[in-house]
Amino acid sequence: MLEVRNISYGVRGKAILSNISFSVGPGKLVAILGPNGAGKSTLLKIISRELNALQGTIFFSGKELQSYSVEQLSLQRAVLTQSIQLSSRFEANEVVMMGRYPHFESFPSEKDKAIVNEVMQMTETYPYNDRIYQELSGGEQQRIQFARVMTQVRGENVFNRMLLLDEPLNNLDVRHQYKLLSIASEFSKNGNTVLTVLHDINLAAMYADEVILMAKGHVHSIGLPKDVITGENITSCYDFPARVESHPFHQCPVVYFGCPEETKTDSFFQQTELITTSNL
């Protein structure tokens, strides 16, 4: 469904992405992991066409991404960015209805209104239905924005759609982090694709069908969570000691940070001791 071929990108002579290639089929939730500055959000912006790659090609449903009109893309994929600012005062349900804009010309139909209500119930945002968006907390606003993108990809024959989510768990408490990823996972299982940037490696291990681990603008490794999320890979990419074991309740890896048994631990604790001593 999505194929990325040899994508490179840079700014003012500085390489940010170098020869990124991977493919994602329908029915998959794929998590992009990596430390700050790895190029995760930049990659997602290129896939969403917010940025243009310096080289490389992206295919979506068998066609070059650039061959789609904005109108065509808006009916087949939705994008949740990190920062969304609204200058006007909208009620929460009006913000969610924005996801239906590509589906009607002048006024929403009863079907559009029903989808908005359905999604707000599903995302547990209906209690904010008539509240002013700007007056909601950061986490509540994030959930409203997630509801918006979910309404955009709802409708008849909902398959071969794509969700692009850039750090969708920002500002969410633990319960709503799990809720959001559960909804996204269910959406992918219905023949759709979800590509999401995440910082929580353990949640990625639990919910992702595949993981793309990035470091310094490159793909370090890609594959099943159990194959990619290893102590060696995480310690190497994040430059921080990590130990990976089997989750005691789920069939997935779990990461423990700062564990003395792993690579680079000695230097890490030596540096910590030096810092602590110098502050005495």
Side-chain angles (χ1 to χ4, degrees), residues 202 204-208 224-226 245-254:
N202 288 324
M206 190 177 299
Y207 281 95
L224 299 175
K226 68 181 182 64
E245 296 183 354
S246 297
H247 198 291
F249 305 113
H250 303 279
Q251 299 299 314
C252 67
V254 61

Side-chain angles (χ1 to χ4, degrees), residues 111-146:
K111 176 183 174 181
D112 295 313
K113 295 175 183 177
I115 288 175
V116 166
N117 287 336
E118 175 190 351
V119 172
M120 293 189 77
Q121 295 282 2
M122 177 180 66
T123 57
E124 299 179 353
T125 55
Y126 193 80
Y128 318 131
N129 182 56
D130 57 357
R131 288 183 56 187
I132 300 299
Y133 175 80
Q134 287 84 349
E135 296 176 358
L136 299 175
S137 72
E140 290 166 345
Q141 289 183 2
Q142 184 74 351
R143 289 162 56 201
I144 289 294
Q145 291 297 341
F146 178 64

Side-chain angles (χ1 to χ4, degrees), residues 77-88:
R77 66 101 175 95
V79 183
L80 179 61
T81 60
Q82 282 191 48
S83 179
I84 301 172
Q85 303 294 328
L86 297 178
S87 56
S88 300

Side-chain angles (χ1 to χ4, degrees), residues 6 11 23 27 46 55 70-71 74 78 114 123 146 205 215 219-220 256:
N6 303 314
V11 177
S23 61
I46 290 173
Q55 69 175 43
V70 172
E71 292 75 17
S74 64
T123 57
F146 178 64
V219 171
H220 179 279
Y256 300 94

Side-chain angles (χ1 to χ4, degrees), residues 14 16 21 41 66 79 85 99 109 125 135 142 187 195 199 208 223 250:
K14 180 181 178 180
I16 296 176
S21 295
S41 293
Q66 294 298 331
V79 183
Q85 303 294 328
S109 66
T125 55
E135 296 176 358
Q142 184 74 351
F187 173 77
L195 190 62
H199 275 300
H250 303 279

